[in-house]
mmCIF file with all atom_site columns, all heavy atoms in Angstrom:
data_model
loop_
_atom_site.group_PDB
_atom_site.id
_atom_site.type_symbol
_atom_site.label_atom_id
_atom_site.label_alt_id
_atom_site.label_comp_id
_atom_site.label_asym_id
_atom_site.label_entity_id
_atom_site.label_seq_id
_atom_site.pdbx_PDB_ins_code
_atom_site.Cartn_x
_atom_site.Cartn_y
_atom_site.Cartn_z
_atom_site.occupancy
_atom_site.B_iso_or_equiv
_atom_site.pdbx_formal_charge
_atom_site.auth_seq_id
_atom_site.auth_comp_id
_atom_site.auth_asym_id
_atom_site.auth_atom_id
_atom_site.pdbx_PDB_model_num
ATOM 1  N N   . GLN A 1 21  ? 7.453   2.842  19.415 1.00 94.00 ? 25  GLN A N   1
ATOM 2  C CA  . GLN A 1 21  ? 7.099   2.064  18.211 1.00 94.00 ? 25  GLN A CA  1
ATOM 3  C C   . GLN A 1 21  ? 6.759   0.612  18.567 1.00 94.00 ? 25  GLN A C   1
ATOM 4  O O   . GLN A 1 21  ? 5.907   0.005  17.946 1.00 94.00 ? 25  GLN A O   1
ATOM 5  C CB  . GLN A 1 21  ? 8.172   2.162  17.149 1.00 94.00 ? 25  GLN A CB  1
ATOM 6  C CG  . GLN A 1 21  ? 7.724   1.716  15.818 1.00 94.00 ? 25  GLN A CG  1
ATOM 7  C CD  . GLN A 1 21  ? 6.567   2.542  15.270 1.00 94.00 ? 25  GLN A CD  1
ATOM 8  O OE1 . GLN A 1 21  ? 6.419   3.709  15.590 1.00 94.00 ? 25  GLN A OE1 1
ATOM 9  N NE2 . GLN A 1 21  ? 5.740   1.942  14.445 1.00 94.00 ? 25  GLN A NE2 1
ATOM 10 N N   . ILE A 1 81  ? 3.040   13.942 17.774 1.00 95.00 ? 85  ILE A N   1
ATOM 11 C CA  . ILE A 1 81  ? 3.164   12.594 18.240 1.00 95.00 ? 85  ILE A CA  1
ATOM 12 C C   . ILE A 1 81  ? 2.202   12.298 19.398 1.00 95.00 ? 85  ILE A C   1
ATOM 13 O O   . ILE A 1 81  ? 1.451   11.302 19.410 1.00 95.00 ? 85  ILE A O   1
ATOM 14 C CB  . ILE A 1 81  ? 4.581   12.269 18.648 1.00 95.00 ? 85  ILE A CB  1
ATOM 15 C CG1 . ILE A 1 81  ? 5.527   12.261 17.456 1.00 95.00 ? 85  ILE A CG1 1
ATOM 16 C CG2 . ILE A 1 81  ? 4.676   10.900 19.365 1.00 95.00 ? 85  ILE A CG2 1
ATOM 17 C CD1 . ILE A 1 81  ? 7.004   12.271 17.820 1.00 95.00 ? 85  ILE A CD1 1
ATOM 18 N N   . GLY A 1 152 ? 1.878   -8.260 19.121 1.00 89.00 ? 156 GLY A N   1
ATOM 19 C CA  . GLY A 1 152 ? 0.507   -7.779 19.047 1.00 89.00 ? 156 GLY A CA  1
ATOM 20 C C   . GLY A 1 152 ? -0.486  -8.928 18.728 1.00 89.00 ? 156 GLY A C   1
ATOM 21 O O   . GLY A 1 152 ? -1.453  -9.133 19.442 1.00 89.00 ? 156 GLY A O   1
ATOM 22 N N   . PHE A 1 164 ? -13.688 -9.512 22.264 1.00 87.00 ? 168 PHE A N   1
ATOM 23 C CA  . PHE A 1 164 ? -13.027 -8.464 21.468 1.00 87.00 ? 168 PHE A CA  1
ATOM 24 C C   . PHE A 1 164 ? -12.825 -7.191 22.243 1.00 87.00 ? 168 PHE A C   1
ATOM 25 O O   . PHE A 1 164 ? -11.842 -6.485 22.088 1.00 87.00 ? 168 PHE A O   1
ATOM 26 C CB  . PHE A 1 164 ? -13.839 -8.201 20.248 1.00 87.00 ? 168 PHE A CB  1
ATOM 27 C CG  . PHE A 1 164 ? -13.291 -7.078 19.357 1.00 87.00 ? 168 PHE A CG  1
ATOM 28 C CD1 . PHE A 1 164 ? -12.269 -7.327 18.507 1.00 87.00 ? 168 PHE A CD1 1
ATOM 29 C CD2 . PHE A 1 164 ? -13.825 -5.821 19.447 1.00 87.00 ? 168 PHE A CD2 1
ATOM 30 C CE1 . PHE A 1 164 ? -11.753 -6.301 17.703 1.00 87.00 ? 168 PHE A CE1 1
ATOM 31 C CE2 . PHE A 1 164 ? -13.334 -4.783 18.660 1.00 87.00 ? 168 PHE A CE2 1
ATOM 32 C CZ  . PHE A 1 164 ? -12.280 -5.024 17.783 1.00 87.00 ? 168 PHE A CZ  1
ATOM 33 N N   . ALA A 1 183 ? 4.319   12.763 26.824 1.00 94.00 ? 187 ALA A N   1
ATOM 34 C CA  . ALA A 1 183 ? 4.065   14.087 27.411 1.00 94.00 ? 187 ALA A CA  1
ATOM 35 C C   . ALA A 1 183 ? 5.025   14.385 28.552 1.00 94.00 ? 187 ALA A C   1
ATOM 36 O O   . ALA A 1 183 ? 5.446   15.528 28.729 1.00 94.00 ? 187 ALA A O   1
ATOM 37 C CB  . ALA A 1 183 ? 2.619   14.168 27.937 1.00 94.00 ? 187 ALA A CB  1
ATOM 38 N N   . VAL A 1 198 ? 1.616   26.954 3.926  1.00 92.00 ? 202 VAL A N   1
ATOM 39 C CA  . VAL A 1 198 ? 1.441   25.487 3.841  1.00 92.00 ? 202 VAL A CA  1
ATOM 40 C C   . VAL A 1 198 ? 1.406   25.073 2.391  1.00 92.00 ? 202 VAL A C   1
ATOM 41 O O   . VAL A 1 198 ? 2.097   24.115 1.969  1.00 92.00 ? 202 VAL A O   1
ATOM 42 C CB  . VAL A 1 198 ? 0.170   25.044 4.559  1.00 92.00 ? 202 VAL A CB  1
ATOM 43 C CG1 . VAL A 1 198 ? -0.141  23.551 4.275  1.00 92.00 ? 202 VAL A CG1 1
ATOM 44 C CG2 . VAL A 1 198 ? 0.296   25.244 6.060  1.00 92.00 ? 202 VAL A CG2 1
ATOM 45 N N   . GLY A 1 316 ? 16.423  -8.795 2.491  1.00 93.00 ? 320 GLY A N   1
ATOM 46 C CA  . GLY A 1 316 ? 16.307  -7.659 1.569  1.00 93.00 ? 320 GLY A CA  1
ATOM 47 C C   . GLY A 1 316 ? 15.735  -6.402 2.245  1.00 93.00 ? 320 GLY A C   1
ATOM 48 O O   . GLY A 1 316 ? 16.237  -5.327 1.994  1.00 93.00 ? 320 GLY A O   1
ATOM 49 N N   . GLY A 1 342 ? 5.732   12.669 5.073  1.00 95.00 ? 346 GLY A N   1
ATOM 50 C CA  . GLY A 1 342 ? 4.331   12.517 4.840  1.00 95.00 ? 346 GLY A CA  1
ATOM 51 C C   . GLY A 1 342 ? 3.998   12.260 3.384  1.00 95.00 ? 346 GLY A C   1
ATOM 52 O O   . GLY A 1 342 ? 3.232   11.360 3.086  1.00 95.00 ? 346 GLY A O   1
ATOM 53 N N   . HIS A 1 403 ? 23.830  12.829 3.254  1.00 46.00 ? 407 HIS A N   1
ATOM 54 C CA  . HIS A 1 403 ? 22.795  13.542 3.981  1.00 46.00 ? 407 HIS A CA  1
ATOM 55 C C   . HIS A 1 403 ? 23.405  14.791 4.519  1.00 46.00 ? 407 HIS A C   1
ATOM 56 O O   . HIS A 1 403 ? 24.321  14.812 5.348  1.00 46.00 ? 407 HIS A O   1
ATOM 57 C CB  . HIS A 1 403 ? 22.288  12.676 5.127  1.00 46.00 ? 407 HIS A CB  1
ATOM 58 C CG  . HIS A 1 403 ? 20.985  13.155 5.667  1.00 46.00 ? 407 HIS A CG  1
ATOM 59 N ND1 . HIS A 1 403 ? 20.830  14.356 6.335  1.00 46.00 ? 407 HIS A ND1 1
ATOM 60 C CD2 . HIS A 1 403 ? 19.721  12.593 5.620  1.00 46.00 ? 407 HIS A CD2 1
ATOM 61 C CE1 . HIS A 1 403 ? 19.578  14.491 6.671  1.00 46.00 ? 407 HIS A CE1 1
ATOM 62 N NE2 . HIS A 1 403 ? 18.886  13.450 6.246  1.00 46.00 ? 407 HIS A NE2 1
#
Side-chain angles (χ1 to χ4, degrees):
Q25 195 60 29
I85 293 168
F168 177 81
V202 171
H407 198 292

